[in-house]
Amino acid sequence: MTDGESFLAYKNLLLFLVTAGVVVPLFMRLRISPVLGFLTAGVILGPFGLGALAQDVPWLSAISIADAEQIAGPAEFGVAFLLFMMGLELSWERLMRMHKLIFGLGLAQVVASSIILGLVAFALGQTPLSALILGSSLALSSTALVLPSLAERKKLNSAVGRTAFAVLLFQDIAVAPLLISVALLDVRNGAVGMGALYTIIPAIASLGGLVILGRLVLRPLFKLVAATSSNELFLAACLLIVVGTGLVSVASGLSMSLGAFVAGLLLAETEYRRQVEVAIQPFQGLLLGLFFVAVGARLDLTQLLDYPLPVIGSVFAIIAIKSLVLLPIALSFGLSQHLAREIALVLSPAGEFTLVLIGTAMVAGIVPAPAGATAMLATTLSMFAIPLLVRVSERLSSRGASEEASLAALAPAVTDRAERVIIAGFGRVGDLVGQMLTRHKAPYLTVDNNAALVARERSRGAMIYYGDATQVELLRRCGIASARALVVTMDKPAAVEAVVAAARAERPDLVIVARARDPEHAAKLYDIGVTDAVPETMEASLQLSEALLVNIGVPAGSAIASIHEKRDEFRRLLQRPDKSGKERMGIRLSSRKWRTGRP
């Protein structure tokens, strides 16, 4: 890389960081989607914004992007990371249970939209081949914009979110055969490139190889890395898996996002799933932001100003046709009217793979340059409308149970929302707590950072995940928002305090019971916000005293009563009143509430 190329790379990185650190927070403060913030920044900084003025005003070159392709490569990883995270939220079993939505509704949407849009393109003067490619390309929607926009509105795991994901997943799967078809129809030399037909077999073989290799390698790899207790190595392994599977997928003629999605599916079945999610999340957000900047930078404002009516008319036509096509299809699959209207509106704009397919077809000589340029500009503008359409679709929702009921037979919920007890630390103490919860039929989930222990317990069927419970994001991924209680059994006082503090900040109403080293540590935990702390030394001495009293002839009832009284005395010494001046809950009171179920 030359000095000039290095400077451009660093300059573009700096511009992106300024966008992420200044422009997007400003949009969020104004209650505008951050996705629109990245897109707008791309338009302003791109080659058709400030970049176009840099020739006349040289200093503008320092704060503009001269060529959108300079950031296109890294930006593609944003979509790959997004699909990887979606794969982590699923599993092969859940994916198969969604087959009616993926291969039914998704297939029907792509075929019907391709036919209608292709007929419109043919009526506007395109050749049958060009119309077919344009129709198939415009039938696709934007995975990279729709899913983050739904997540921003906290609708990703709702009925519309799961339905949109299923349709988008089929579209991503369909990208590979569509790209292969364009290669087969390469007419630059006046002949069909039948030699490209042989790319299909390697593509299928590579996908199967990814699945087989992933099942054999991923769990041992992460077990080996986790055993080092190095967060840096764990993060490096996560990045290796996403980037590696994505590049292998691209080399095989498939989309990068499809390879990353398969890797996510494979990891979803392992005990490392939650910690991987925590490690990848920041990269996903940043790279998606870079992708949105790249999309905005491709918006050719000069062409929009030269041909405003054809371009804007094409945008409205794409949205209207795809909405009207998808609405009856969704209804025919048993979705409620509210849900069908939402999904039709959310998926109506074109997507990032539309740009890829049309660009490839233009290079191959299938789609004429003027028609292709107009279609790509209309695609980009329609993608700008996605955050707004998501908000409009939200207003169409009945917010009732009818959507979930209509979807129940077609797709299960992506996340497990069971109200579980979370056990942080699964050594001897945590294991005994788990046994008691099992005896009383109380479901629980466990987190521990000992890779060997997690692997052993996982093999025994325990719901246990590898991870650092002091990270609040991991607690969120484990369902702390709906957890019934949190039990902290870790043997390191500092770690116990960190978990309690993180959990209390996340859930002020959560029942938190923690293991304490001694009475002084217990007092500190009460100050942090624990519901109950159990000092090891105090409880051991009380149990010894109880056994001693009974064995020297003191009646068992009297001995047990005196032990309870002594425990209460200790608690009063350790606990300070809460902010309202009331005494905190005691262990015996807590247990009575648990047994009776009273709030």
Side-chain angles (χ1 to χ4, degrees):
M1 181 181 290
T2 65
D3 292 341
E5 292 174 338
S6 299
F7 173 77
L8 287 176
Y10 290 133
K11 184 199 70 174
N12 291 333
L13 176 61
L14 180 61
L15 288 175
F16 170 66
L17 293 177
V18 170
T19 300
V22 179
V23 178
V24 173
L26 177 61
F27 270 66
M28 295 181 69
R29 187 177 182 85
L30 297 174
R31 298 181 181 275
I32 301 175
S33 169
V35 173
L36 284 177
F38 282 117
L39 290 171
T40 304
V43 173
I44 295 173
L45 300 174
F48 304 106
L50 294 179
L53 303 176
Q55 295 179 350
D56 299 324
V57 186
W59 65 268
L60 287 177
S61 61
I63 58 171
S64 62
I65 300 173
D67 185 0
E69 296 304 317
Q70 294 172 353
I71 60 174
E76 291 181 12
F77 284 107
V79 186
F81 274 74
L82 175 66
L83 266 292
F84 177 76
M85 293 291 284
M86 292 305 300
L88 284 174
E89 287 293 336
L90 288 171
S91 64
W92 288 107
E93 179 185 357
R94 282 180 173 175
L95 191 63
M96 292 302 100
R97 290 174 61 190
M98 294 174 67
H99 70 278
K100 291 182 180 179
L101 279 182
I102 298 172
F103 301 103
L105 180 58
L107 174 63
Q109 181 272 327
V110 170
V111 172
S113 297
S114 299
I115 292 174
I116 301 300
L117 290 168
L119 290 174
V120 172
F122 180 73
L124 293 175
Q126 295 298 305
T127 64
L129 189 56
S130 174
L132 176 63
I133 297 300
L134 284 172
S136 301
S137 303
L138 293 170
L140 304 178
S141 305
S142 177
T143 301
L145 282 169
V146 171
L147 295 183
S149 297
L150 289 172
E152 178 193 353
R153 309 296 297 174
K154 301 188 185 303
K155 294 179 71 66
L156 193 56
N157 290 324
S158 66
V160 65
R162 301 202 305 276
T163 307
F165 171 76
V167 175
L168 289 168
L169 177 57
F170 178 82
Q171 292 181 2
D172 288 339
I173 294 173
V175 168
L178 287 174
L179 283 172
I180 292 171
S181 299
V182 171
L184 290 171
L185 299 171
D186 189 335
V187 295
R188 285 172 295 180
N189 300 317
V192 176
M194 293 303 294
L197 180 62
Y198 295 104
T199 61
I200 297 177
I201 296 176
I204 297 175
S206 296
L207 188 61
L210 278 177
V211 174
I212 296 173
L213 188 64
R215 287 187 176 276
L216 295 175
V217 171
L218 284 182
R219 181 176 267 116
L221 171 64
F222 276 94
K223 182 179 180 181
L224 180 65
V225 173
T228 66
S229 300
S230 171
N231 292 331
E232 292 78 11
L233 289 178
F234 192 89
L235 174 58
C238 295
L239 295 177
L240 170 64
I241 294 302
V242 180
V243 176
T245 54
L247 293 179
V248 169
S249 183
V250 169
S252 306
L254 302 169
S255 69
M256 181 182 294
S257 59
L258 182 58
F261 177 74
V262 170
L265 278 177
L266 294 172
L267 275 175
E269 300 175 345
T270 71
E271 58 270 28
Y272 307 101
R273 163 188 173 186
R274 296 305 183 190
Q275 190 64 31
V276 170
E277 289 175 335
V278 174
I280 289 296
Q281 182 67 42
F283 290 90
Q284 175 206 329
L286 281 175
L287 289 173
L288 269 180
L290 185 60
F291 174 82
F292 300 144
V293 171
V295 171
R298 289 194 181 101
L299 182 59
D300 189 346
L301 296 176
T302 58
Q303 188 178 2
L304 176 61
L305 294 175
D306 292 339
Y307 307 101
L309 291 181
V311 173
I312 295 176
S314 298
V315 173
F316 281 102
I318 292 170
I319 294 175
I321 291 173
K322 291 179 70 175
S323 297
L324 294 175
V325 168
L326 185 52
L327 180 61
I329 295 176
L331 291 172
S332 68
F333 273 80
L335 303 185
S336 68
Q337 287 189 350
H338 286 289
L339 180 55
R341 284 200 298 267
E342 278 194 89
I343 201 66
L345 200 57
V346 166
L347 296 180
S348 57
E352 57 276 358
F353 289 122
T354 303
L355 301 173
V356 175
L357 285 167
I358 295 178
T360 304
M362 291 171 64
V363 172
I366 301 173
V367 175
T374 300
M376 293 179 74
L377 183 57
T379 295
T380 305
L381 286 174
S382 72
M383 292 169 69
F384 269 74
I386 289 174
L388 177 61
L389 291 174
V390 169
R391 293 197 176 207
V392 173
S393 71
E394 190 176 30
R395 294 181 180 274
L396 299 177
S397 175
S398 64
R399 288 179 167 81
S402 58
E403 284 80 3
E404 292 291 341
S406 68
L407 193 65
L410 294 173
V414 173
T415 57
D416 186 358
R417 298 187 178 184
E419 294 185 352
R420 302 182 183 276
V421 174
I422 299 176
I423 302 177
F426 206 60
R428 289 173 295 179
V429 177
D431 187 18
L432 182 56
V433 172
Q435 293 178 33
M436 297 306 297
L437 288 172
T438 300
R439 178 171 297 184
H440 292 277
K441 299 180 180 179
Y444 67 92
L445 176 150
T446 308
V447 180
D448 199 286
N449 62 358
N450 184 321
L453 182 149
V454 171
R456 184 182 69 245
E457 295 300 327
R458 189 82 172 190
S459 65
R460 296 174 179 175
M463 182 173 284
I464 184 170
Y465 293 100
Y466 170 84
D468 182 2
T470 63
Q471 297 176 307
V472 66
E473 185 60 33
L474 180 67
L475 295 176
R476 290 171 184 160
R477 296 281 176 180
C478 291
I480 193 173
S482 59
R484 193 172 180 181
L486 170 67
V487 185
V488 188
T489 68
M490 303 155 75
D491 57 0
K492 295 183 179 179
V496 174
E497 294 163 19
V499 174
V500 171
R504 181 55 72 211
E506 189 72 12
R507 277 278 306 276
D509 63 324
L510 181 66
V511 173
I512 304 176
V513 180
R515 171 185 179 182
R517 175 65 58 85
D518 49 40
E520 289 75 15
H521 186 216
K524 188 173 183 179
L525 291 175
Y526 281 119
D527 289 338
I528 294 174
V530 73
T531 307
D532 265 311
V534 182
E536 297 174 349
T537 55
M538 186 186 78
E539 284 300 318
S541 59
L542 289 175
Q543 292 295 323
L544 286 170
S545 300
E546 180 180 340
L548 174 63
L549 291 172
V550 171
N551 280 285
I552 64 174
V554 177
S558 177
I560 293 174
S562 65
I563 293 298
H564 284 315
E565 290 173 1
K566 192 61 179 179
R567 181 180 287 116
D568 289 341
E569 290 177 15
F570 275 124
R571 183 166 293 104
R572 283 192 292 270
L573 290 173
L574 298 176
Q575 292 176 318
R576 298 182 180 92
D578 61 20
K579 294 180 180 180
S580 63
K582 297 179 180 178
E583 290 189 2
R584 299 178 188 266
M585 184 189 310
I587 289 180
R588 283 186 292 168
L589 177 58
S590 302
S591 62
R592 285 201 301 271
K593 287 176 61 178
W594 182 276
R595 287 195 303 269
T596 60
R598 290 197 301 270

